[in-house]
Amino acid sequence: MNMENFISGYPGCEFQIRAALAETIGAEKSEFFFDKFLEYFFQESDAKFFSNLGLNCIRLPFNYHHFEDDMNPRVLKKSGFKHLDRVIDLCAQYNIYTILDLHTAPGGQNTDWHSDHGVWNHKDFQDRTIWLWEELAAHYKGNKWIAGYNPLNEPTDPYHTRVIGFYDRVYNAIRAVDSEHAIFFDGNTFASDFSHFGDSHEKWENTAYSIHDYSTFGFPAAPEDYVGTESQQRRLRRSYEKKREWMDERGLCVWNGEWGPVYARKQYEGEATEKINEVRYHVLKDQLAIYNKDRLSWSIWLYKDIGFQGMVYVSTKSAYMTKFAGFLAKKHRLAVDAWGADVSAVQHVYQPLINHVLEEIPEKFRDLYPAPVWKLSDRVGRLARNILVAEFLVKEWASHFVGMDESQLDDLAKSFVFEECEKREGLNKILTDNATLVKEA
């Protein structure tokens, strides 16, 4: 219920492609396609498969737009519960707990493409987010299959204090309605930094603290080939320990809400695919060895996509992937998705801009938040590739739907149904093996 671009193949941001598709094929057909997409994306067969792997908890990311319109704020769209309730019920049938993750809040809680930016500068956006959690808590109060609420995904507050004030408010608002469900608070700066939280935890009961432990070794821009040397493993552990340091000093509960490498695809990486993915599995195993030693609970990112990171992914032979094969190859070449981008084909285009900034801006003024998590090249990439160039691709993406009737739209959406998807067996076996280890610990 939060369609990140690399997961489903669109360019830019979700609000852009929803508007473009409605303009291209009409609002009725557009709504039909997106509703069918959500229907097929997670069904009973998905829940059964997930449970059979030995996994017992799944994080459900969702976009506030399912529950509220920006032009009609604070009016609950009950239709938003349609698919969220359905997935929670399906998971409960197979003894899977769910954690509700507000991945996109009104105004945008971080600087990245999946949120847009603004919530920290506008109190009304914060008020609307709290209002939504009051509604969600009232709806799900007493549901034993919900493990808890994750009120805000990956906040990025440059001042490091407003996020704590917001957590105070949302905690009190939820607790006024629901005193039983656990609350999972992400650290600031993409769930990596609790260093400014001080003694805030003393006001929050039944609360866990969520890190997102991605390693650069699991991505195309890795600093070096990962072979598991002592220094590389030390770097893995240090990055992880730094994220959880505040919790460990206070004896608090830590949860790894997102983590995991991305994977090569034969249509892009060719003969190197298997070799690349073996390296990524090595990173995965070494991270799990760290987590198992600490008996850390985790939720892998992610369950299903079009072949980049998911445990399950849409087949290249499906109607959707066939229809968009050329467009997706273009997106990959232009590196318009921020997540795990391979910029090798276009770096020569953007390097002059990076050099221009290096030449004209004094070093002490270059580290704009969220540096050092974002390097200069990351900021240039977000603004130039992932916003500017991606925006020009939005209508091109929507044009692929022209002339399609509802039956054809249904076939496209059905490409995401479990029975038509491929399974990333290497990843799933590693997760199963380690889920059993945690269970027996």
Side-chain angles (χ1 to χ4, degrees):
M1 295 178 69
N2 191 70
M3 295 173 60
E4 295 193 22
N5 46 34
F6 78 96
I7 295 175
S8 52
Y10 68 82
C13 299
E14 183 173 343
F15 78 90
Q16 292 174 308
I17 58 108
R18 283 183 176 270
L21 191 59
E23 180 182 346
T24 302
I25 65 174
E28 185 175 346
K29 282 186 176 180
S30 175
E31 186 62 32
F32 174 84
F33 170 75
F34 287 121
D35 187 66
K36 284 295 183 181
F37 169 84
L38 290 175
E39 176 185 329
Y40 291 130
F41 197 90
F42 197 94
Q43 298 189 325
E44 183 176 356
S45 50
D46 294 284
K48 182 178 180 180
F49 171 76
F50 192 86
S51 177
N52 286 343
L53 292 177
L55 304 176
N56 66 356
C57 187
I58 193 167
R59 183 168 174 253
L60 300 182
F62 61 95
N63 190 314
Y64 80 96
H65 279 122
H66 289 285
F67 295 95
E68 180 193 30
D69 285 330
D70 288 324
M71 297 303 290
N72 196 21
R74 296 181 185 81
V75 176
L76 184 68
K77 294 166 59 178
K78 293 186 178 181
S79 59
F81 290 112
K82 173 183 175 181
H83 291 293
L84 199 55
D85 284 354
R86 178 180 61 82
V87 172
I88 291 168
D89 291 344
L90 286 173
C91 288
Q93 292 176 31
Y94 289 90
N95 298 322
I96 302 169
Y97 291 94
T98 51
I99 293 177
L100 305 187
D101 156 37
L102 183 57
H103 219 71
T104 299
Q109 73 275 17
N110 70 38
T111 53
D112 237 331
W113 80 97
H114 50 78
S115 297
D116 297 333
H117 189 43
V119 70
W120 304 116
N121 296 317
H122 300 277
K123 182 177 180 294
D124 189 62
F125 288 142
Q126 298 178 38
D127 292 346
R128 285 169 56 189
T129 304
I130 289 168
W131 165 83
L132 178 55
W133 273 112
E134 289 173 335
E135 297 289 340
L136 292 165
H139 184 81
Y140 290 115
K141 179 181 179 181
N143 189 323
K144 68 177 184 179
W145 289 107
I146 293 178
Y149 307 132
N150 190 189
L152 207 58
N153 175 67
E154 295 186 343
T156 60
D157 171 18
Y159 297 100
H160 302 280
T161 56
R162 294 174 296 185
V163 62
I164 299 170
F166 173 81
Y167 280 171
D168 280 337
R169 294 184 62 206
V170 76
Y171 173 88
N172 290 331
I174 291 173
R175 287 289 176 250
V177 179
D178 183 345
S179 62
E180 296 180 351
H181 279 116
I183 293 175
F184 296 80
F185 282 147
D186 281 18
N188 196 32
T189 315
F190 304 108
S192 70
D193 183 8
F194 287 90
S195 63
H196 293 77
F197 275 52
D199 295 326
S200 299
H201 64 289
E202 294 179 356
K203 298 174 285 185
W204 305 329
E205 296 181 355
N206 193 21
T207 300
Y209 301 90
S210 174
I211 63 173
H212 290 181
D213 191 37
Y214 291 107
S215 170
T216 55
F217 287 124
F219 287 76
E224 60 192 33
D225 291 337
Y226 187 83
V227 295
T229 65
E230 184 178 339
S231 63
Q232 288 175 335
Q233 292 190 43
R234 187 165 55 247
R235 183 170 176 174
L236 281 182
R237 174 165 276 283
R238 179 55 192 147
S239 175
Y240 157 73
E241 288 176 340
K242 185 177 181 181
K243 295 183 182 100
R244 61 175 292 163
E245 186 174 25
W246 177 80
M247 290 80 87
D248 288 339
E249 289 173 349
R250 293 159 177 79
L252 302 174
C253 179
V254 185
W255 175 58
N256 187 6
E258 283 189 28
W259 69 287
V262 298
Y263 298 95
R265 294 159 285 185
K266 287 185 178 179
Q267 64 267 40
Y268 306 138
E269 281 79 20
E271 294 181 359
T273 297
E274 294 302 323
K275 182 179 179 181
I276 292 171
N277 287 344
E278 284 303 316
V279 171
R280 305 285 165 78
Y281 290 145
H282 193 170
V283 176
L284 182 86
K285 290 177 182 177
D286 284 355
Q287 286 186 280
L288 280 164
I290 295 171
Y291 304 158
N292 289 340
K293 184 177 180 180
D294 289 350
R295 300 189 66 180
L296 176 75
S297 295
W298 45 261
S299 180
I300 192 77
W301 187 265
L302 51 84
Y303 173 64
K304 185 185 289 186
D305 68 357
I306 59 171
F308 196 34
Q309 195 172 16
M311 299 162 58
V312 174
Y313 57 94
V314 179
S315 170
T316 55
K317 299 176 182 178
S318 67
Y320 187 90
M321 294 298 283
T322 301
K323 183 80 171 177
F324 286 96
F327 181 79
L328 292 173
K330 181 178 181 178
K331 270 187 67 195
H332 179 264
R333 175 173 55 83
L334 296 179
V336 294
D337 291 348
W339 192 241
D342 179 355
V343 301
S344 57
V346 293
Q347 187 60 30
H348 67 283
V349 176
Y350 300 100
Q351 192 59 48
L353 179 54
I354 295 172
N355 293 341
H356 177 60
V357 174
L358 291 172
E359 292 167 2
E360 297 293 340
I361 306 300
E363 184 175 358
K364 65 180 180 180
F365 297 127
R366 290 185 210 141
D367 286 340
L368 302 179
Y369 183 82
V373 175
W374 277 14
K375 300 185 291 293
L376 173 59
S377 59
D378 296 319
R379 183 173 292 276
V380 170
R382 290 301 199 280
L383 296 174
R385 295 196 320 271
N386 312 141
I387 294 178
L388 177 62
V389 177
E391 187 174 21
F392 286 104
L393 293 176
V394 169
K395 289 190 175 182
E396 183 178 344
W397 173 85
S399 71
H400 289 75
F401 292 84
V402 171
M404 301 183 75
D405 59 26
E406 286 193 353
S407 176
Q408 292 169 314
L409 292 171
D410 185 77
D411 284 340
L412 275 190
K414 194 177 288 184
S415 300
F416 288 83
V417 76
F418 177 81
E419 287 77 7
E420 301 298 323
C421 288
E422 304 287 339
K423 290 80 180 174
R424 194 173 299 284
E425 301 294 356
L427 168 61
N428 296 334
K429 183 180 187 306
I430 293 169
L431 296 180
T432 296
D433 290 345
N434 285 273
T436 302
L437 285 172
V438 172
K439 186 176 181 180
E440 291 177 350

